[in-house]
Amino acid sequence: LQPMWNETFEFDSFTMDMDVLVKVFDWDRVGADRYIGHVAALLEPLQVHRRLHEWFTLDPEVNSRTRLFSGCMDKKARMFDVRVGKELRTFSAHLGAVTDVKMCEVMGKVQLFTASEDGMVKLWDLSSNQAKLENSSRSWPHEAAVAGTVPIIIYDQLRVFTACKDAVAYMWTLPSQGIVIAEGWRQKLAK
């Protein structure tokens, strides 16, 4: 690597309450440049000090803690970067309000599960820059609206637990079908 030191950057329009998001890539002559990491630097200290000499640690995770996922009544899920206050992606394929979103690493890829009042759980691929369903076999229908999901790895196999608004809980062992693990779970929890 031959890094460029003491570079100067100029910005046309910004406010001091913003962050500067810097993404670092290595440059490859052949193939795609490889993502190394990113850092978000606050501009507020510049109001007082006018200049900053500071080292920043690069965050190597593409989908790190800076991401916020939101399920919406408009039948979409959204991903935001909370450091810069920007909507990064919209996920739309549900026919009802999105009731739950969970991020999980599946087979080395960071993916997103969404649940909806339409009775579907969907798996989204977050590794690309587009919001796309993993594939058509990655949607799981339920008899009623899905209230929540919990993806978890058990003995190297992904299992997704879902709770429906008709008080039925399911366990899905991917990629096979789901089984009913508890009926009337709301009454059981109330006792």
Side-chain angles (χ1 to χ4, degrees):
L1 292 176
Q2 296 176 339
M4 302 281 291
W5 299 104
N6 298 320
E7 286 189 78
T8 301
F9 300 95
E10 293 184 19
F11 301 94
D12 293 333
S13 128
F14 67 90
T15 60
M16 290 305 216
D17 62 339
M18 292 179 164
D19 295 353
V20 173
L21 180 65
V22 178
K23 292 183 179 181
V24 179
F25 293 82
D26 76 343
W27 179 77
D28 290 329
R29 288 179 194 242
V30 178
D33 296 339
R34 188 173 55 90
Y35 176 80
I36 295 175
H38 68 273
V39 65
L42 297 171
L43 294 178
E44 266 183 338
L46 292 175
Q47 283 181 314
V48 176
H49 304 290
R50 297 283 181 221
R51 193 172 190 163
L52 253 134
H53 293 284
E54 196 169 333
W55 285 93
F56 295 94
T57 303
L58 289 178
D59 185 349
E61 295 294 321
V62 176
N63 296 300
S64 65
R65 296 178 302 275
T66 64
R67 304 297 187 253
L68 171 71
F69 293 91
S70 171
C72 304
M73 295 296 292
D74 67 356
K75 307 173 189 173
K76 297 176 184 174
R78 291 182 170 82
M79 179 173 69
F80 297 90
D81 187 327
V82 295
R83 290 194 221 184
V84 295
K86 180 181 175 187
E87 183 178 320
L88 300 176
R89 261 189 248 177
T90 301
F91 304 88
S92 55
H94 284 289
L95 302 175
V98 177
T99 56
D100 193 21
V101 291
K102 292 285 188 313
M103 192 171 66
C104 180
E105 186 172 325
V106 180
M107 295 174 265
K109 295 194 315 191
V110 179
Q111 297 180 327
L112 182 73
F113 287 90
T114 57
S116 172
E117 288 184 353
D118 65 5
M120 295 295 287
V121 172
K122 296 185 181 290
L123 177 60
W124 302 85
D125 180 11
L126 295 181
S127 62
S128 71
N129 287 335
Q130 293 149 353
K132 65 175 186 165
L133 282 170
E134 176 61 19
N135 62 45
S136 59
S137 67
R138 298 298 181 158
S139 294
W140 298 276
H142 294 72
E143 301 267 332
V146 181
T149 61
V150 178
I152 188 167
I153 305 289
I154 301 174
Y155 297 116
D156 295 328
Q157 186 160 23
L158 178 66
R159 302 199 180 173
V160 180
F161 293 87
T162 57
C164 296
K165 291 189 177 180
D166 65 354
V168 177
Y170 293 86
M171 178 184 73
W172 298 88
T173 303
L174 304 187
S176 63
Q177 292 296 317
I179 59 170
V180 175
I181 58 170
E183 290 192 54
W185 56 270
R186 286 188 187 173
Q187 290 82 7
K188 292 177 185 176
L189 290 177
K191 291 180 182 179

